[in-house]
Amino acid sequence: MNYQDKSTEELIEELERYKLENEKRIADLVIADKELVYQNQEKENRADELLLSNSTNRQQTIIIEERKENERLLQGKNEEYLRLIEELKYAKLKNAESESKHKFLFDNSPLGKIYQNAKGEINDANRSAERILGLTLDQMQGRTSIDPRWKSIHEDGSDFPGDTHPAAITLQTGKPVNNVTMGVFNPLINNYTWININSIPRFKDGNSKPFEVIATFEDITERKQAEAEIKTLNETLEQRVKERTNQLEAVNKELESFSYSVSHDLRAPLRGIDGFSRILQKDFTEMLNEQGLDYLARIRKASQTMGQLIDDMLKLSRVTKAEMKIEKVNLSEIVTSITNEFKELSLARKAEFVIQSNIEVSGDKNLLRIALQNLISNAWKYSSKNDSTKIEFGKTIQEDSTVYFIRDNGVGFNMKYVNKLFGAFQRLHSVSEFEGTGIGLATVNRIIVKHGGRIWAEAEINKGASFYFKL
Amino acid sequence: MKNKTKFILLIEDNPDDELLTIQALKDSNISNEVVVARDGEEALDFLFGTGKYLGRDLTLMPQITLLDIKLPKMDGLEVLQQIRANKITKLLPIVMLTSSKEEQDLIHSYELGANSYIRKPVDFDQFTKAIQNLGLYWLILNELPN
């Protein structure tokens, strides 16, 4: 359109329209603006909200984390609690078990058991206690040691006062009392039952006074009876031993007087036989022929042998009877002095003595001298048919012990008869070969045995004999 | 005369021993008189002048007394004890002549004051020798107080 063509009116009109349009447009714009502001506001709000919700979220995460942690802890604690509960359950079970065990032992123990409280009153007793004391628990309940209904005695029969009962003393001192013997009157058997009591105190933490005393006791009545029986038996035994000793002493005396008689009375007739034979030989020679004189000689020889036999027997019995006096004895010196005597008695005999020096033992000097005298005398006798005699004395070790020996180079003997060697009156040679009564080695054996030792021999015919002994 | 005062008192109950002792004295050329008492009681009667010896001259005492231990009634040790307890006999030489070789008899004898102790051997030759020595010593060598 063109303005020159349009009227003013028209123009105004147009303007007016424009104006209206503009106004409408502005109004719209305002509205739009408002909308935008609102929207903005909205957006801002939402942003705020978002911001807010964002932080809440973070916080929530932390809380959740914490919660998770807590849960874990709780879980652990729970497990621990469960374990503890299990343990508690187990302990309870055990406790119940031990309690029932304890109860079982208490009920069935062969020992009497009594519980006394701090005041000394009995509040429990087991079946053995009831049986031993002859009282029921009800009867004992509440009784103290000093209750006059108890009747108790000592072993010597004297009264056993209640305040000296082991339980009373333990209660007072807090210390256990052991091994007290007491006789308690048992009304059921109407007699005293003997018991051996021990009492022990029980304390609660930190308390020095016991809250309870347990007295445990054993019925020793039978044992005591047995002991009494043994005592009586011992006494009668002692009496019997005494009687027997007296008898033996009498027998011994008899034997002594017997050996005295042997020594005196048996010798007297022998002296007669020998003496009158000798007188016949000397003063009546012309009236007897050679045979008669020979018989007389035999009679004298026989009576003298019997005299020797009697003497040897007495020596043997004296050795058996002799009391030992133990001292240090130098065997070498004794052997030397004995061998010197033999040398002097037969100077013409070719003899060599080999004696180890300073052999010392402890023993009875007289008896050991008799033993060595016999052994050397044997060695001397049984080597008398040698051209030259060699006798040795010494010591050696055999099987870890010291052994002494006397050795000769004489006729020896057959080892077959070695066990006869030390018997009284046993001989391995005839009297015509070697004189002797068979008492010597029996005497030696007794002396060595008396010293707690042993003697044995080794020999070979014509190769000498060795006698060994240890003390 | 000398031999008459120096007599021997033999206290012995066994007649064989009595005879043998006398024979042994004879064989030993000891000719002193021998008075024999056959038990302890008789011996003490003789020594103390009592019983059947009442009134005996008590100045005559044995030069030597041979005393056996085993005697009837009163044994030799008791006789010895009584001899030593009596003032008229307490110094007499007493020789125990016995069969016993018991240690306790030996000790007891010496304790009671025996002067010698001889054991009679079975062998008569040894017995004779012992009697001979005994006689030589107590009857000839030994001096007694008056």
Side-chain angles (χ1 to χ4, degrees), chain B residues 6 58-63 84 87-94 115 138 141-146:
Chain B
K6 285 197 169 185
L58 291 183
T59 60
L60 295 174
M61 282 294 172
Q63 178 77 2
R84 288 289 175 253
K87 77 169 189 283
I88 58 168
T89 54
K90 69 176 179 188
L91 294 176
L92 288 180
I94 310 288
N115 299 80
W138 290 105
L141 296 176
N142 194 45
E143 291 286 341
L144 290 178
N146 288 319

Side-chain angles (χ1 to χ4, degrees), chain A residues 260 265 271 274 278 282, chain B residues 17 27 70 105 124-125:
Chain A
Y260 188 89
D265 297 351
R271 235 181 0 257
D274 187 75
R278 176 73 187 120
K282 211 173 62 180
Chain B
D17 272 352
D27 289 354
K70 210 165 174 213
D105 281 344
F124 186 71
D125 292 328

Side-chain angles (χ1 to χ4, degrees), chain A residues 116-122 142-146 171 210-212:
Chain A
Q116 281 170 257
N117 65 17
K119 282 188 269 175
E121 295 160 345
I122 292 175
R143 273 200 205 184
T144 64
S145 295
I146 55 166
L171 205 59
F211 76 95
E212 186 173 63

Side-chain angles (χ1 to χ4, degrees), chain A residues 119-183:
Chain A
K119 282 188 269 175
E121 295 160 345
I122 292 175
N123 53 27
D124 202 0
N126 69 354
R127 274 179 249 154
S128 290
E130 292 179 314
R131 177 179 48 79
I132 293 168
L133 300 173
L135 296 167
T136 62
L137 175 58
D138 283 344
Q139 287 171 309
M140 284 186 267
Q141 198 76 256
R143 273 200 205 184
T144 64
S145 295
I146 55 166
D147 192 290
R149 284 171 291 182
W150 294 118
K151 265 196 267 175
S152 51
I153 53 171
H154 282 287
E155 275 182 283
D156 60 6
S158 65
D159 183 46
F160 204 138
D163 55 354
T164 61
H165 282 194
I169 286 170
T170 297
L171 205 59
Q172 222 169 35
T173 60
K175 284 180 184 137
V177 176
N178 291 317
N179 264 329
V180 176
T181 303
M182 185 194 280

Side-chain angles (χ1 to χ4, degrees), chain A residues 29-48:
Chain A
L29 276 172
V30 166
I31 288 166
D33 190 54
K34 270 187 182 164
E35 185 89 355
L36 271 173
V37 165
Y38 176 76
Q39 271 180 3
N40 237 357
Q41 189 72 37
E42 216 41 10
K43 264 180 195 160
E44 258 172 32
N45 278 350
R46 215 177 286 154
D48 276 354

Side-chain angles (χ1 to χ4, degrees), chain B residues 1-140:
Chain B
M1 182 67 196
K2 208 180 180 187
N3 280 356
K4 256 202 154 163
T5 50
K6 285 197 169 185
F7 67 94
I8 298 164
L9 174 62
L10 174 65
I11 308 170
E12 172 66 74
D13 68 315
N14 184 328
D16 285 351
D17 272 352
E18 179 192 326
L19 193 54
L20 288 171
T21 307
I22 289 167
Q23 183 67 39
L25 286 165
K26 211 195 282 173
D27 289 354
S28 308
N29 296 318
I30 296 166
S31 53
N32 304 55
E33 190 198 340
V34 179
V35 174
V36 181
R38 287 175 183 88
D39 61 51
E41 215 175 72
E42 193 188 341
L44 290 180
D45 276 346
F46 177 80
L47 289 171
F48 301 157
T50 52
K52 72 173 184 180
Y53 290 100
L54 196 70
R56 187 183 78 86
D57 178 4
L58 291 183
T59 60
L60 295 174
M61 282 294 172
Q63 178 77 2
I64 180 71
T65 298
L66 305 178
L67 176 57
D68 194 7
I69 286 186
K70 210 165 174 213
L71 292 170
K73 294 186 217 170
M74 184 191 291
D75 76 17
L77 293 170
E78 211 180 324
V79 172
L80 176 61
Q81 197 171 16
Q82 297 223 22
I83 289 170
R84 288 289 175 253
N86 191 314
K87 77 169 189 283
I88 58 168
T89 54
K90 69 176 179 188
L91 294 176
L92 288 180
I94 310 288
V95 173
M96 307 306 289
L97 189 63
T98 173
S99 293
S100 168
K101 210 183 163 185
E102 286 293 309
E103 190 77 4
Q104 80 238 30
D105 281 344
L106 243 155
I107 291 168
H108 215 151
S109 297
Y110 280 115
E111 273 174 357
L112 292 174
N115 299 80
S116 189
Y117 191 105
I118 290 165
R119 193 191 182 214
K120 291 183 259 189
V122 168
D123 185 336
F124 186 71
D125 292 328
Q126 285 178 32
F127 183 59
T128 307
K129 206 165 184 183
I131 292 289
Q132 199 178 354
N133 288 336
L134 190 146
L136 177 72
Y137 180 78
W138 290 105
L139 298 170
I140 297 164

Side-chain angles (χ1 to χ4, degrees), chain A residues 23 52 100 126 176 198 204 280 294 302 333 337 365 388 447:
Chain A
E23 271 174 6
L52 194 74
S100 91
N126 69 354
N198 296 304
K204 279 204 169 116
L280 280 176
D294 177 51
E333 278 174 14
S337 86
K365 201 171 182 175
S388 72
I447 290 171

Side-chain angles (χ1 to χ4, degrees), chain A residues 302-435:
Chain A
S303 54
Q304 282 166 26
T305 305
M306 191 165 166
Q308 189 59 48
L309 205 57
I310 290 168
D311 284 354
D312 286 351
M313 261 173 67
L314 286 174
K315 261 188 224 158
L316 182 64
S317 83
R318 224 168 277 145
V319 161
T320 312
K321 241 170 40 182
E323 271 177 41
M324 304 240 291
K325 197 181 122 203
I326 302 297
E327 58 188 327
K328 254 208 157 57
V329 181
N330 189 323
L331 296 183
S332 306
E333 278 174 14
I334 293 175
V335 171
T336 305
S337 86
I338 294 168
T339 52
N340 284 342
E341 280 168 31
F342 280 107
K343 267 191 259 180
E344 275 166 34
L345 277 172
S346 37
L347 290 166
R349 202 168 139 182
K350 240 176 101 185
E352 183 195 356
F353 294 98
V354 183
I355 301 161
Q356 263 183 47
S357 55
N358 289 324
I359 294 179
E360 280 199 338
V361 297
S362 63
D364 184 286
K365 201 171 182 175
N366 288 330
L367 290 179
L368 288 174
R369 194 187 168 90
I370 293 171
L372 289 167
Q373 174 85 42
N374 273 299
L375 288 172
I376 294 165
S377 150
N378 275 352
W380 185 251
K381 180 162 68 181
Y382 293 110
S383 58
S384 60
K385 290 177 180 169
N386 287 32
D387 293 336
S388 72
T389 294
K390 186 181 181 187
I391 295 172
E392 294 170 72
F393 168 72
K395 67 174 179 183
T396 174
I397 301 289
Q398 276 189 17
E399 288 164 9
D400 292 337
S401 54
T402 307
V403 169
Y404 310 93
F405 63 87
I406 300 261
R407 186 175 295 140
D408 65 63
N409 60 347
V411 293
F413 56 85
N414 189 338
M415 283 297 278
K416 206 161 87 180
Y417 305 114
V418 71
N419 55 341
K420 286 195 169 181
L421 212 52
F422 298 101
F425 303 113
Q426 299 279 0
R427 298 211 65 213
L428 301 189
H429 300 274
S430 65
V431 178
S432 58
E433 260 186 302
F434 294 101
E435 292 205 332

